[in-house]
Amino acid sequence: MYYRSNNTVINQPIFWSFNGDDLKETITYVMNGLFGKIENSFFGKQGINENVVGYNKKKYDELEKVYSMAYNNINSLTKHYIVANATLDDISKLEYNWNDNGAQAFSVKLIERCRQIVSQLVAEPFVCPTACGSIQFEYEKENGEYIEFEIYEDRIEVYSESLINGEEEFVLYGITANDKMKQMVVDFYG
Amino acid sequence: MASRDWKEVYRRVKSKPVFMKEGRPSSALFKDSKGVSVDRDAGRNLNDIIVDEERLHALYNGGMNEEEIKEKGEELKAIISLTDEQCDSVEVCVIPDPIAGENENHAVIQKSKTEIQLSKSQARNLAKMSTIVKNYA
Protein backbone atom coordinates (compact mmCIF):
# COMPACT_ATOMS: atom_id res chain seq x y z
CA MET A 1 0.00 0.00 0.00
CA TYR A 2 1.30 3.46 -0.84
CA TYR A 3 0.48 6.71 0.91
CA ARG A 4 0.67 10.36 0.12
CA SER A 5 2.81 12.51 2.41
CA ASN A 6 -0.33 13.47 4.32
CA ASN A 7 -0.97 9.76 5.04
CA THR A 8 -4.01 9.39 2.80
CA VAL A 9 -4.06 6.21 0.78
CA ILE A 10 -3.33 6.48 -2.91
CA ASN A 11 -4.17 4.19 -5.81
CA GLN A 12 -1.73 3.37 -8.57
CA PRO A 13 -1.31 6.08 -11.22
CA ILE A 14 -4.20 5.95 -13.66
CA PHE A 15 -2.13 5.15 -16.74
CA TRP A 16 -0.56 2.14 -14.99
CA SER A 17 -3.82 0.83 -13.59
CA PHE A 18 -5.24 0.93 -17.09
CA ASN A 19 -2.40 -1.07 -18.69
CA GLY A 20 -1.42 -3.43 -15.91
CA ASP A 21 -4.81 -4.30 -14.50
CA ASP A 22 -6.42 -4.73 -17.90
CA LEU A 23 -3.63 -7.02 -19.01
CA LYS A 24 -3.77 -8.95 -15.75
CA GLU A 25 -7.55 -9.28 -15.96
CA THR A 26 -7.45 -10.46 -19.57
CA ILE A 27 -4.75 -13.07 -18.95
CA THR A 28 -6.48 -14.31 -15.81
CA TYR A 29 -9.77 -14.58 -17.70
CA VAL A 30 -8.13 -16.61 -20.48
CA MET A 31 -6.26 -18.83 -18.02
CA ASN A 32 -9.42 -19.47 -16.02
CA GLY A 33 -11.25 -20.39 -19.20
CA LEU A 34 -8.56 -22.82 -20.31
CA PHE A 35 -8.25 -24.37 -16.89
CA GLY A 36 -12.01 -24.70 -16.67
CA LYS A 37 -12.08 -26.62 -19.93
CA ILE A 38 -9.38 -29.00 -18.69
CA GLU A 39 -11.30 -29.48 -15.44
CA ASN A 40 -14.52 -30.20 -17.30
CA SER A 41 -12.87 -32.96 -19.23
CA PHE A 42 -12.12 -34.76 -15.97
CA PHE A 43 -14.86 -33.68 -13.57
CA GLY A 44 -18.47 -34.71 -13.71
CA LYS A 45 -21.31 -32.54 -12.51
CA GLN A 46 -20.87 -34.04 -9.07
CA GLY A 47 -17.22 -32.97 -8.85
CA ILE A 48 -13.98 -34.88 -9.26
CA ASN A 49 -14.45 -38.19 -10.95
CA GLU A 50 -11.20 -40.06 -10.81
CA ASN A 51 -12.76 -42.99 -12.61
CA VAL A 52 -13.28 -41.10 -15.86
CA VAL A 53 -11.31 -42.72 -18.66
CA GLY A 54 -8.16 -40.67 -19.32
CA TYR A 55 -8.03 -39.06 -15.87
CA ASN A 56 -4.46 -38.81 -14.69
CA LYS A 57 -3.98 -37.38 -11.21
CA LYS A 58 -0.26 -36.73 -11.72
CA LYS A 59 -0.91 -34.74 -14.88
CA TYR A 60 -3.71 -32.87 -13.20
CA ASP A 61 -1.45 -31.93 -10.26
CA GLU A 62 1.22 -30.74 -12.70
CA LEU A 63 -1.33 -28.61 -14.51
CA GLU A 64 -2.46 -27.12 -11.25
CA LYS A 65 1.13 -26.19 -10.41
CA VAL A 66 1.62 -24.55 -13.82
CA TYR A 67 -1.60 -22.61 -13.38
CA SER A 68 -0.57 -21.51 -9.92
CA MET A 69 2.84 -20.33 -11.11
CA ALA A 70 1.33 -18.47 -14.06
CA TYR A 71 -1.16 -16.76 -11.79
CA ASN A 72 1.60 -15.65 -9.41
CA ASN A 73 3.62 -14.27 -12.30
CA ILE A 74 0.60 -12.35 -13.56
CA ASN A 75 0.23 -10.78 -10.15
CA SER A 76 3.87 -9.73 -10.13
CA LEU A 77 3.54 -8.02 -13.54
CA THR A 78 2.78 -4.75 -11.78
CA LYS A 79 6.43 -4.52 -10.74
CA HIS A 80 8.17 -5.92 -13.75
CA TYR A 81 9.18 -3.03 -15.95
CA ILE A 82 10.57 -4.49 -19.15
CA VAL A 83 12.12 -1.35 -20.67
CA ALA A 84 13.71 -0.15 -17.43
CA ASN A 85 15.20 -3.57 -16.71
CA ALA A 86 16.48 -3.92 -20.28
CA THR A 87 18.13 -0.51 -19.96
CA LEU A 88 19.78 -1.59 -16.72
CA ASP A 89 21.06 -4.68 -18.55
CA ASP A 90 22.55 -2.40 -21.22
CA ILE A 91 24.09 -0.10 -18.60
CA SER A 92 25.67 -3.07 -16.81
CA LYS A 93 27.51 -3.92 -20.05
CA LEU A 94 28.99 -0.44 -20.57
CA GLU A 95 32.78 -0.49 -20.45
CA TYR A 96 35.30 2.16 -19.46
CA ASN A 97 35.15 5.15 -21.86
CA TRP A 98 31.61 4.35 -22.99
CA ASN A 99 31.03 8.05 -23.66
CA ASP A 100 34.37 8.58 -25.48
CA ASN A 101 35.32 10.92 -22.63
CA GLY A 102 36.74 8.54 -20.04
CA ALA A 103 33.54 7.59 -18.20
CA GLN A 104 33.83 4.63 -15.82
CA ALA A 105 31.90 1.37 -16.01
CA PHE A 106 29.13 0.83 -13.44
CA SER A 107 29.56 -1.45 -10.44
CA VAL A 108 27.46 -4.57 -9.90
CA LYS A 109 26.45 -3.14 -6.53
CA LEU A 110 24.96 -0.02 -8.13
CA ILE A 111 23.17 -2.00 -10.85
CA GLU A 112 21.66 -4.30 -8.23
CA ARG A 113 20.54 -1.36 -6.13
CA CYS A 114 18.79 0.09 -9.17
CA ARG A 115 17.15 -3.24 -10.01
CA GLN A 116 15.85 -3.49 -6.48
CA ILE A 117 14.44 0.03 -6.58
CA VAL A 118 12.87 -0.31 -10.02
CA SER A 119 11.01 -3.46 -8.98
CA GLN A 120 9.23 -1.53 -6.25
CA LEU A 121 8.25 1.67 -8.03
CA VAL A 122 4.61 2.44 -8.78
CA ALA A 123 5.45 3.76 -12.25
CA GLU A 124 8.14 2.90 -14.76
CA PRO A 125 10.94 5.47 -14.91
CA PHE A 126 13.02 6.51 -17.91
CA VAL A 127 16.44 5.12 -17.00
CA CYS A 128 19.81 6.28 -18.32
CA PRO A 129 23.41 6.46 -17.14
CA THR A 130 25.38 9.60 -16.38
CA ALA A 131 29.10 10.14 -16.86
CA CYS A 132 29.26 11.14 -13.19
CA GLY A 133 28.98 7.53 -12.00
CA SER A 134 25.26 7.58 -11.27
CA ILE A 135 22.20 6.01 -12.88
CA GLN A 136 19.35 8.41 -13.46
CA PHE A 137 15.63 7.66 -13.11
CA GLU A 138 13.31 10.29 -14.58
CA TYR A 139 9.60 11.06 -14.51
CA GLU A 140 7.87 13.87 -16.37
CA LYS A 141 4.27 14.97 -16.66
CA GLU A 142 2.60 16.74 -19.57
CA ASN A 143 2.14 19.84 -17.40
CA GLY A 144 5.92 20.20 -17.13
CA GLU A 145 6.33 18.79 -13.64
CA TYR A 146 9.48 16.74 -13.46
CA ILE A 147 11.51 14.67 -11.03
CA GLU A 148 14.84 12.93 -11.46
CA PHE A 149 16.81 10.68 -9.14
CA GLU A 150 20.53 10.17 -9.56
CA ILE A 151 21.28 6.90 -7.85
CA TYR A 152 24.78 6.27 -6.51
CA GLU A 153 25.97 3.36 -4.39
CA ASP A 154 25.79 5.46 -1.20
CA ARG A 155 23.13 8.10 -1.90
CA ILE A 156 20.29 9.29 -4.11
CA GLU A 157 20.42 12.85 -5.42
CA VAL A 158 17.01 14.34 -6.16
CA TYR A 159 16.11 17.22 -8.45
CA SER A 160 12.53 18.26 -9.12
CA GLU A 161 10.55 20.96 -10.86
CA SER A 162 6.99 21.47 -9.68
CA LEU A 163 4.35 24.08 -10.43
CA ILE A 164 4.01 24.90 -6.73
CA ASN A 165 7.54 24.65 -5.34
CA GLY A 166 9.62 25.41 -8.44
CA GLU A 167 13.08 23.83 -8.51
CA GLU A 168 14.19 21.72 -5.55
CA GLU A 169 17.35 19.75 -4.98
CA PHE A 170 18.48 17.55 -2.09
CA VAL A 171 20.19 14.28 -1.25
CA LEU A 172 18.81 11.10 0.37
CA TYR A 173 21.22 9.05 2.48
CA GLY A 174 21.03 5.89 4.52
CA ILE A 175 18.87 2.79 4.63
CA THR A 176 15.63 4.73 4.24
CA ALA A 177 16.73 6.42 0.99
CA ASN A 178 15.13 3.80 -1.29
CA ASP A 179 11.81 3.96 0.58
CA LYS A 180 11.81 7.75 0.54
CA MET A 181 12.44 7.71 -3.20
CA LYS A 182 9.59 5.25 -3.76
CA GLN A 183 7.28 7.47 -1.73
CA MET A 184 8.32 10.53 -3.73
CA VAL A 185 7.30 8.78 -6.94
CA VAL A 186 3.91 8.05 -5.36
CA ASP A 187 3.58 11.69 -4.32
CA PHE A 188 4.62 12.84 -7.79
CA TYR A 189 1.61 11.07 -9.29
CA GLY A 190 -0.62 11.72 -6.29
CA MET B 1 39.19 38.64 -22.90
CA ALA B 2 39.53 36.72 -26.18
CA SER B 3 36.51 36.93 -28.48
CA ARG B 4 34.40 33.88 -29.02
CA ASP B 5 34.76 32.19 -32.40
CA TRP B 6 31.43 30.40 -32.08
CA LYS B 7 27.72 31.11 -31.93
CA GLU B 8 26.65 27.54 -31.38
CA VAL B 9 28.04 24.31 -30.00
CA TYR B 10 27.17 20.79 -31.17
CA ARG B 11 27.05 17.43 -29.43
CA ARG B 12 26.76 13.94 -30.88
CA VAL B 13 24.27 11.51 -29.32
CA LYS B 14 24.81 7.77 -29.79
CA SER B 15 22.01 5.19 -29.93
CA LYS B 16 23.23 3.44 -26.82
CA PRO B 17 23.08 4.13 -24.02
CA VAL B 18 19.70 5.69 -24.67
CA PHE B 19 19.69 9.38 -23.83
CA MET B 20 16.70 10.40 -25.93
CA LYS B 21 13.31 10.31 -24.27
CA GLU B 22 10.36 10.79 -26.60
CA GLY B 23 12.61 12.48 -29.13
CA ARG B 24 14.20 14.85 -26.62
CA PRO B 25 17.56 14.57 -24.87
CA SER B 26 17.66 13.70 -21.18
CA SER B 27 19.48 15.96 -18.72
CA ALA B 28 21.80 12.98 -18.16
CA LEU B 29 23.40 13.82 -21.51
CA PHE B 30 24.84 16.93 -19.82
CA LYS B 31 26.16 15.21 -16.71
CA ASP B 32 29.85 14.47 -16.99
CA SER B 33 32.40 14.84 -14.20
CA LYS B 34 35.05 15.62 -16.85
CA GLY B 35 33.01 18.34 -18.57
CA VAL B 36 30.48 18.05 -21.38
CA SER B 37 32.26 17.44 -24.68
CA VAL B 38 30.99 19.64 -27.56
CA ASP B 39 32.24 21.16 -30.80
CA ARG B 40 32.18 24.88 -31.66
CA ASP B 41 30.76 26.03 -34.98
CA ALA B 42 33.79 28.31 -35.51
CA GLY B 43 32.11 30.02 -38.45
CA ARG B 44 31.31 26.80 -40.34
CA ASN B 45 27.95 26.18 -42.00
CA LEU B 46 25.60 23.50 -40.68
CA ASN B 47 26.27 21.09 -43.52
CA ASP B 48 30.02 21.14 -42.91
CA ILE B 49 29.46 20.74 -39.19
CA ILE B 50 27.29 17.65 -39.67
CA VAL B 51 29.84 16.12 -42.06
CA ASP B 52 32.57 16.77 -39.50
CA GLU B 53 30.52 15.32 -36.63
CA GLU B 54 30.01 12.16 -38.68
CA ARG B 55 33.76 12.06 -39.39
CA LEU B 56 34.51 12.33 -35.68
CA HIS B 57 31.99 9.63 -34.89
CA ALA B 58 33.67 7.29 -37.37
CA LEU B 59 37.09 8.26 -36.02
CA TYR B 60 36.15 7.30 -32.45
CA ASN B 61 34.69 4.02 -33.68
CA GLY B 62 37.81 3.20 -35.67
CA GLY B 63 38.30 -0.45 -36.45
CA MET B 64 34.61 -1.33 -36.32
CA ASN B 65 32.59 -1.94 -39.46
CA GLU B 66 29.03 -0.67 -39.85
CA GLU B 67 27.50 -3.91 -38.62
CA GLU B 68 29.66 -4.01 -35.49
CA ILE B 69 28.86 -0.38 -34.77
CA LYS B 70 25.14 -1.15 -35.00
CA GLU B 71 25.42 -4.27 -32.88
CA LYS B 72 27.16 -2.35 -30.10
CA GLY B 73 24.63 0.47 -30.36
CA GLU B 74 27.41 2.87 -31.27
CA GLU B 75 25.65 4.38 -34.28
CA LEU B 76 24.65 8.03 -34.21
CA LYS B 77 21.17 8.80 -32.93
CA ALA B 78 21.21 12.57 -33.24
CA ILE B 79 23.27 15.73 -33.36
CA ILE B 80 22.07 18.50 -31.10
CA SER B 81 23.01 22.15 -30.79
CA LEU B 82 22.94 24.94 -28.25
CA THR B 83 23.36 28.63 -28.96
CA ASP B 84 25.74 30.88 -27.13
CA GLU B 85 22.78 32.76 -25.64
CA GLN B 86 21.26 29.55 -24.31
CA CYS B 87 24.55 28.61 -22.65
CA ASP B 88 24.86 32.10 -21.17
CA SER B 89 21.28 32.00 -19.88
CA VAL B 90 22.16 29.15 -17.51
CA GLU B 91 25.60 30.58 -16.78
CA VAL B 92 27.63 27.65 -18.02
CA CYS B 93 31.12 28.17 -19.35
CA VAL B 94 32.16 26.99 -22.84
CA ILE B 95 35.92 26.49 -22.85
CA PRO B 96 37.72 25.82 -26.16
CA ASP B 97 39.73 22.62 -25.89
CA PRO B 98 41.17 21.79 -29.34
CA ILE B 99 42.50 18.28 -29.86
CA ALA B 100 45.54 18.63 -32.10
CA GLY B 101 45.26 16.86 -35.43
CA GLU B 102 41.86 15.47 -34.57
CA ASN B 103 39.34 18.12 -33.69
CA GLU B 104 40.35 21.77 -33.64
CA ASN B 105 36.78 22.83 -32.75
CA HIS B 106 36.46 20.77 -29.60
CA ALA B 107 35.29 22.48 -26.40
CA VAL B 108 33.94 21.52 -23.00
CA ILE B 109 30.95 22.94 -21.19
CA GLN B 110 31.62 23.46 -17.49
CA LYS B 111 29.61 24.74 -14.56
CA SER B 112 31.96 27.72 -14.24
CA LYS B 113 35.59 28.54 -14.98
CA THR B 114 36.72 26.66 -11.90
CA GLU B 115 34.03 23.99 -11.43
CA ILE B 116 33.59 21.27 -14.01
CA GLN B 117 30.39 19.29 -13.35
CA LEU B 118 27.19 21.14 -14.27
CA SER B 119 24.51 21.61 -11.63
CA LYS B 120 21.36 19.55 -12.05
CA SER B 121 19.43 22.68 -12.96
CA GLN B 122 21.97 23.66 -15.64
CA ALA B 123 21.91 20.13 -17.14
CA ARG B 124 18.13 20.03 -17.15
CA ASN B 125 17.80 23.46 -18.77
CA LEU B 126 20.39 22.72 -21.46
CA ALA B 127 18.51 19.50 -22.27
CA LYS B 128 15.24 21.42 -22.55
CA MET B 129 16.72 24.20 -24.72
CA SER B 130 18.80 22.08 -27.08
CA THR B 131 17.81 21.80 -30.74
CA ILE B 132 18.04 18.56 -32.66
CA VAL B 133 19.78 19.51 -35.90
CA LYS B 134 19.95 16.00 -37.30
CA ASN B 135 18.01 12.91 -36.32
CA TYR B 136 19.23 9.53 -37.49
CA ALA B 137 16.56 6.84 -37.80
Side-chain angles (χ1 to χ4, degrees):
Chain A
M1 189 74 76
Y2 285 98
Y3 300 89
R4 291 190 183 92
S5 293
N6 63 7
N7 284 335
T8 55
V9 178
I10 187 175
N11 289 322
Q12 301 253 351
I14 290 167
F15 65 87
W16 173 246
S17 299
F18 178 80
N19 289 328
D21 289 350
D22 275 9
L23 178 64
K24 196 190 320 183
E25 199 176 313
T26 306
I27 296 172
T28 306
Y29 176 79
V30 172
M31 295 287 296
N32 278 333
L34 284 172
F35 200 68
K37 286 195 174 184
I38 293 165
E39 278 182 333
N40 286 339
S41 67
F42 294 124
F43 299 167
K45 283 182 182 173
Q46 286 78 35
I48 296 173
N49 182 355
E50 296 187 4
N51 297 321
V52 166
V53 176
Y55 178 80
N56 181 328
K57 188 173 188 312
K58 198 177 168 193
K59 273 190 183 171
Y60 181 81
D61 288 346
E62 285 298 316
L63 269 172
E64 199 170 51
K65 269 186 209 166
V66 170
Y67 176 81
S68 171
M69 279 165 61
Y71 191 81
N72 286 337
N73 284 335
I74 291 161
N75 279 334
S76 69
L77 273 177
T78 49
K79 292 172 183 174
H80 186 69
Y81 299 120
I82 293 165
V83 176
N85 277 303
T87 306
L88 286 172
D89 285 344
D90 287 341
I91 293 172
S92 72
K93 291 172 194 158
L94 293 174
E95 296 168 353
Y96 168 74
N97 201 32
W98 55 267
N99 68 341
D100 299 329
N101 197 30
Q104 298 291 328
F106 293 89
S107 70
V108 174
K109 190 178 172 186
L110 177 58
I111 298 287
E112 285 313 309
R113 181 180 196 185
C114 290
R115 282 194 204 286
Q116 190 190 2
I117 291 171
V118 89
S119 71
Q120 295 168 8
L121 294 169
V122 293
E124 184 164 26
F126 174 77
V127 178
C128 56
T130 78
C132 301
S134 62
I135 295 176
Q136 181 161 311
F137 285 18
E138 284 180 37
Y139 295 95
E140 190 161 10
K141 291 183 192 167
E142 279 185 6
N143 67 2
E145 290 195 311
Y146 173 82
I147 190 162
E148 67 180 34
F149 302 91
E150 266 190 72
I151 303 169
Y152 291 84
E153 279 186 22
D154 63 338
R155 66 189 187 281
I156 299 173
E157 296 182 357
V158 186
Y159 170 79
S160 66
E161 294 172 357
S162 78
L163 300 176
I164 299 167
N165 299 323
E167 290 182 12
E168 286 184 302
E169 197 177 322
F170 52 90
V171 184
L172 303 171
Y173 290 102
I175 53 169
T176 59
N178 290 8
D179 287 335
K180 283 179 185 165
M181 175 183 160
K182 283 182 267 175
Q183 186 60 52
M184 289 179 72
V185 176
V186 172
D187 288 344
F188 183 71
Y189 287 107
Chain B
M1 191 179 172
S3 66
R4 296 173 177 181
D5 70 346
W6 68 94
K7 286 182 180 163
E8 291 190 338
V9 291
Y10 295 81
R11 182 160 167 78
R12 296 183 298 282
V13 186
K14 287 196 277 192
S15 289
K16 277 189 180 177
V18 177
F19 281 112
M20 304 290 279
K21 183 180 61 175
E22 290 166 10
R24 297 289 310 159
S26 157
S27 65
L29 189 64
F30 296 94
K31 292 180 178 176
D32 191 328
S33 54
K34 293 180 178 167
V36 178
S37 178
V38 292
D39 298 312
R40 306 172 338 262
D41 67 5
R44 297 173 295 165
N45 68 45
L46 182 59
N47 222 24
D48 290 345
I49 290 166
I50 289 172
V51 168
D52 200 42
E53 290 300 318
E54 290 171 351
R55 174 190 70 84
L56 288 165
H57 180 69
L59 180 71
Y60 294 131
N61 284 294
M64 277 199 278
N65 62 38
E66 213 168 292
E67 205 169 295
E68 287 171 324
I69 288 175
K70 211 166 188 179
E71 199 175 300
K72 288 191 81 178
E74 296 280 338
E75 73 266 33
L76 271 178
K77 177 73 180 169
I79 296 171
I80 62 169
S81 73
L82 286 160
T83 66
D84 216 12
E85 290 77 25
Q86 288 168 331
C87 292
D88 286 344
S89 72
V90 291
E91 297 176 342
V92 292
C93 223
V94 178
I95 300 173
D97 177 37
I99 303 168
E102 211 170 88
N103 184 5
E104 292 301 319
N105 302 308
H106 186 253
V108 286
I109 301 178
Q110 296 189 174
K111 180 178 183 179
S112 65
K113 278 186 178 169
T114 53
E115 291 172 285
I116 297 174
Q117 194 172 313
L118 304 190
S119 70
K120 296 183 197 311
S121 173
Q122 285 174 323
R124 167 74 174 151
N125 281 305
L126 289 183
K128 281 201 285 190
M129 290 186 295
S130 61
T131 303
I132 296 163
V133 295
K134 179 145 188 187
N135 217 335
Y136 298 81

